[in-house]
Amino acid sequence: MNYVEGFVVAVPAANKEAYRKQAEEASHLFKEFGATRFVECWGDDVPDGKLTDFRGAVKAKEDEVVVFSWLEYPSKEVRDAANQKMMSDPRMKAMGEQMCFDGKRMIFGGFAPILDV
């Protein structure tokens, strides 16, 4: 099975197109580094929870939308190698300096699939 890396971030609603463009630009690098799939999803039905929720996890403000993203890699090893390449790539550094959201509130992690139907 593949390996999945997931992200959740709050993006100002006014920055939707800028975020989409940045994600598209980043997708080429992620694929170059080994990702086989790159998916970005703009929050459409993200309800407030009773105990916790996506908005609370990223401390989303009233004017922000929750974005859920994931990348697929052939393996955890390929993902780990890709992350190392990203950290030293000047193109990724330049993108990081122009983010249209607060990257400090991003949550992310790697996941080993246990079911894929």
Side-chain angles (χ1 to χ4, degrees), residues 6 17 26 40 63 67 72 76 80 91 97 105 107 115:
E17 183 56 20
E40 293 278 352
D63 67 335
V67 174
E72 292 179 11
K76 183 178 191 298
D80 291 347
R91 298 169 296 176
E97 293 170 355
R105 292 185 284 140
I107 59 173
L115 179 66

Side-chain angles (χ1 to χ4, degrees), residues 6-48:
F7 301 87
V8 180
V9 66
V11 178
N15 291 354
K16 182 178 183 179
E17 183 56 20
Y19 182 85
R20 191 201 62 74
K21 284 180 181 178
Q22 285 180 340
E24 183 176 5
E25 195 176 311
S27 72
H28 301 293
L29 294 178
F30 284 113
K31 291 227 172 183
E32 177 183 324
F33 296 147
T36 56
R37 189 171 181 206
F38 182 88
V39 180
E40 293 278 352
C41 304
W42 190 257
D44 180 57
D45 183 15
V46 184
D48 292 335

Side-chain angles (χ1 to χ4, degrees), residues 6-10 19 57-58 99 101-108:
F7 301 87
V8 180
V9 66
Y19 182 85
V58 293
M99 290 192 302
F101 62 93
D102 181 1
K104 292 177 185 168
R105 292 185 284 140
M106 176 189 289
I107 59 173
F108 58 92

Side-chain angles (χ1 to χ4, degrees), residues 51-81:
L51 185 58
T52 189
D53 57 42
F54 279 109
R55 293 186 64 77
V58 293
K59 296 184 168 122
K61 299 172 184 167
E62 275 299 310
D63 67 335
E64 293 179 321
V65 175
V66 173
V67 174
F68 175 69
S69 311
W70 74 91
L71 293 97
E72 292 179 11
Y73 291 93
S75 66
K76 183 178 191 298
E77 294 76 21
V78 172
R79 187 285 304 248
D80 291 347

